[in-house]
Amino acid sequence: MKCYENRSAFSKSLAFLLTFLLCFQLLWIPAGAEATNIVSSATISGITNSKMYDGTKNVGSNASTTNSYRVGGKGVSRETKFDFGKSMLLTSVVFAGARFTSVTVVAAEDNAYTKEVATASVTWDDSATATLAEKTIVFADGPVEAQYLKITAVTTTGQSYAFYNEVEIYGQEKALDPEVIALFGGGTGTEEDPFIVSTPQQFMNMSDERVAGMSFKVTADITLPDEYEPFAFSGKLAGADASNLKTIRVHINKPAQNVGEELEVIPENVGLFSEASGGVQISNLRLTGSVTGGKFVGGFIGKAPSGTSSGAKLENCVNEADVTGYEAVGGFAGRIFDGTHNITLNKLINKGSVNATVNAGGIIATSKAAITNCANLGAVTATNVGNGTAGIVGWNYGNVSFCYNSGDIRGTGNVGGIVGYHSQISRTVASCYNNGDIVNISADGTAGGIIGAVQSGKTGVSLNNSYNTGKIGDAQTFHPVFGSGEIAITGCLYLSPSAQDDAVDGTLPKTLSELASAATDLGSAFTAPAGTYQFPEISANLNRSDYKVY
């Protein structure tokens, strides 16, 4: 009898174990799914002389074969990187014919490849001159979970270039852990079925590494607790309604502090999100409250430290929070500069005050991003000399278009209504206007209604079809459009009842009535005023402020 009881217990244990394993498999392996070639779903980037071709995503030139890859140079090592937009289960990489000595594949959790998940490689005969046989890289411990994949190829010493005719990266989406699903109010984290975020805790749950790069939808106004800790974000976050923005209220207080007589404690990367990267997308949200930090401080994003990929955007958002910091402080973002950036800042309105010691912008302090259809209505102030202060972007490296400033701007050198200090060649500021008052504490001639100054040696910069009605306070200089530096200006206007000449090519003074009817002169981006605003409006970015006249 005792033996029977033991066997019964054993049978129950075995049954439980088998049931557990079956459930585990169903939870973690997509039902009926097989790994497929996911190259076409990736954003592809490379360095000079390393080109990945797949027809529509043509990085480089001379594409001839779908998913083909070409590396220039004898005996050199080159990289190509793949961003799949979200974490995938990667199984293998297949090279269909190659002229390489070796290829190494690195899978990682981040696009800086500081969080490597797995590494694998294959080799060929360096002396071969003909295309070699197909080879497959398989990760030693089985499928690996990663969003990013880097291929490093070493060319043979006998070829001026090397290539493989086709690369195939096999992987599949990972099924969600029920614990992850329970972190949110519904959804599965895909673009089609985003996680639902409607409470402070659900918002903070987006910091969980298991949902990095996934999609979220805010369905209710949220007030975050005072102990809220900003976190890095690389996913897609949108308010549920583009015409009725969901509000996030936050009070972040991480100010720079003096230790003795020196400013030594400077918290960095402070904002609703400390950092943004990859294909990050944020839209349809309003931020209220306050954000205080040290260096790289923004209402929505503190810093984008390692680049952003194609499709990244901050769009259709309003900032009403007051933003304060020591250096690189912006209404929406502090610094989007380091690395390669493809992010766009579009349809953003700042209504909060922005205050910095050094470098401030109503939209962003330091930027490589493309900025379009943005507006600043808040006061922007920087008290010390350094890298620009402006209504839209304090220190600029990108193109800016269809933007306006109606906030008062006060800085110490390099002060502008739209751009404070411009530091990149061959960039354009176009179809913008300013009607805020501009004050340059330095009184050194580097303030302008649209652009304060262009850095010496930065050629090919242009300013087109823009106008200013704001008052410029910069000692005895008269710079209603542009302050200092080398620039090509065309089609720009400024309000001057006495028709005072600013002695700058490409600009014209206009009286009150002349400027009010100058929409046609400014180009197709502008339309005649239709509301309370008195001057030409940008068709895609109508004025939401009272006008000022000097």
Side-chain angles (χ1 to χ4, degrees):
M1 184 69 177
K2 191 172 184 180
C3 180
Y4 174 78
E5 288 176 349
N6 288 342
R7 280 193 309 203
S8 177
F10 174 78
S11 298
K12 290 178 180 179
S13 298
L14 180 61
F16 173 80
L17 178 60
L18 292 174
T19 301
F20 172 79
L21 291 174
L22 177 60
C23 290
F24 182 87
Q25 182 180 27
L26 291 175
L27 289 174
W28 288 93
I29 304 298
E34 292 185 357
T36 58
N37 184 8
I38 58 174
V39 168
S40 61
S41 69
T43 299
I44 304 166
S45 61
I47 60 174
T48 304
N49 292 324
S50 176
K51 304 179 179 70
M52 177 72 200
Y53 312 114
D54 74 345
T56 58
K57 296 183 180 68
N58 183 356
V59 180
S61 58
N62 302 321
S64 58
T65 306
T66 299
N67 296 345
S68 65
Y69 180 69
R70 179 184 176 111
V71 173
K74 298 180 180 181
V76 297
S77 175
R78 306 294 189 193
E79 295 178 350
T80 296
K81 298 177 180 179
F82 301 79
D83 176 2
F84 299 103
K86 56 187 172 184
S87 186
M88 304 288 283
L89 284 176
L90 305 177
T91 57
S92 62
V93 182
V94 179
F95 305 98
R99 291 180 182 171
F100 291 120
T101 299
S102 66
V103 171
T104 300
V105 173
V106 176
E109 296 177 351
D110 65 321
N111 63 356
Y113 292 86
T114 59
K115 300 178 181 178
E116 292 186 6
V117 176
T119 300
S121 62
V122 293
T123 60
W124 285 270
D125 181 2
D126 181 55
S127 64
T129 58
T131 300
L132 301 178
E134 174 182 305
K135 289 200 176 186
T136 300
I137 289 180
V138 178
F139 295 105
D141 295 327
V144 298
E145 184 181 352
Q147 179 177 338
Y148 303 95
L149 190 78
K150 177 173 65 178
I151 295 177
T152 302
V154 179
T155 62
T156 62
T157 57
Q159 296 290 318
S160 59
Y161 67 89
F163 66 91
Y164 49 77
N165 293 331
E166 186 173 1
V167 59
E168 297 175 350
I169 301 172
Y170 284 89
Q172 61 193 44
E173 293 187 23
K174 176 184 174 182
L176 287 173
D177 182 344
E179 289 185 2
V180 172
I181 295 175
L183 294 174
F184 304 98
T188 57
T190 66
E191 290 189 53
E192 298 77 17
D193 185 29
F195 287 125
I196 301 301
V197 176
S198 61
T199 69
Q201 186 59 57
Q202 289 170 357
F203 189 94
M204 292 185 289
N205 287 345
M206 292 192 300
S207 65
D208 194 301
E209 291 184 356
R210 293 172 294 180
V211 297
M214 300 186 80
S215 297
F216 308 85
K217 180 168 68 175
V218 179
T219 59
D221 295 341
I222 295 173
T223 297
L224 293 172
D226 289 344
E227 62 270 20
Y228 172 75
E229 188 66 29
F231 56 89
F233 185 69
S234 60
K236 297 176 174 63
L237 175 67
D241 188 345
S243 60
N244 183 19
L245 306 184
K246 296 303 177 186
T247 298
I248 308 295
R249 183 168 182 81
V250 67
H251 289 285
I252 299 171
N253 189 31
K254 297 177 176 290
Q257 300 175 32
N258 290 321
V259 177
E261 297 182 357
E262 299 294 329
L263 186 64
E264 292 187 2
V265 179
I266 307 178
E268 294 189 5
N269 306 350
V270 180
L272 180 65
F273 299 111
S274 58
E275 299 178 357
S277 63
V280 62
Q281 295 184 5
I282 302 170
S283 60
N284 305 340
L285 295 174
R286 174 184 285 104
L287 187 71
T288 65
S290 62
V291 176
T292 300
K295 189 175 183 180
F296 313 138
V297 185
F300 282 76
I301 299 169
K303 183 181 180 181
S306 56
T308 50
S309 55
S310 177
K313 63 182 180 180
L314 179 54
E315 183 175 74
N316 196 40
C317 292
V318 174
N319 176 57
E320 296 177 358
D322 294 330
V323 185
T324 304
Y326 176 76
E327 180 180 352
V329 183
F332 284 87
R335 180 180 173 96
I336 298 178
F337 175 80
D338 307 88
T340 300
H341 285 284
N342 296 288
I343 192 171
T344 58
L345 308 184
N346 183 44
K347 295 183 180 178
L348 306 177
I349 301 174
N350 177 60
K351 297 182 179 181
S353 64
V354 177
N355 294 281
T357 302
V358 176
N359 184 210
I363 302 300
I364 182 170
T366 303
S367 174
K368 279 184 179 177
I371 304 175
T372 60
N373 299 308
C374 293
N376 175 62
L377 313 184
V380 179
T381 302
T383 56
N384 287 8
V385 176
N387 302 335
T389 307
I392 302 299
V393 49
W395 191 4
N396 185 51
Y397 288 77
N399 294 316
V400 182
S401 58
F402 315 125
C403 295
Y404 70 87
N405 172 64
S406 291
D408 291 340
I409 313 300
R410 184 179 180 88
T412 308
N414 306 323
V415 190
I418 304 300
V419 173
Y421 190 49
H422 183 89
S423 293
Q424 181 61 282
I425 64 172
S426 305
R427 294 292 185 267
T428 299
V429 176
S431 302
C432 296
Y433 65 87
N434 170 68
N435 46 45
D437 290 343
I438 311 298
V439 176
N440 180 10
I441 300 169
S442 294
D444 58 1
T446 61
I450 306 299
I451 300 176
V454 171
Q455 183 178 342
S456 176
K458 302 303 179 181
T459 59
V461 181
S462 61
L463 170 58
N464 307 322
N465 303 99
S466 299
Y467 74 89
N468 173 57
T469 69
K471 188 180 297 182
I472 313 300
D474 191 1
Q476 303 302 312
T477 61
F478 180 63
H479 295 155
V481 174
F482 175 70
S484 174
E486 180 181 345
I487 195 170
I489 301 177
T490 58
C492 290
L493 310 175
Y494 58 93
L495 181 62
S496 177
S498 63
Q500 182 177 355
D501 186 4
D502 67 350
V504 175
D505 291 339
T507 69
L508 287 174
K510 294 288 182 179
T511 64
L512 188 68
S513 60
E514 288 173 338
L515 188 55
S517 59
T520 301
D521 298 336
L522 289 163
S524 60
F526 286 88
T527 186
T532 58
Y533 182 67
Q534 187 175 356
F535 301 106
E537 297 199 58
I538 300 167
S539 301
N541 189 13
L542 298 179
N543 191 286
R544 304 179 188 215
S545 69
D546 295 328
Y547 67 88
K548 296 183 178 182
V549 177
Y550 74 93

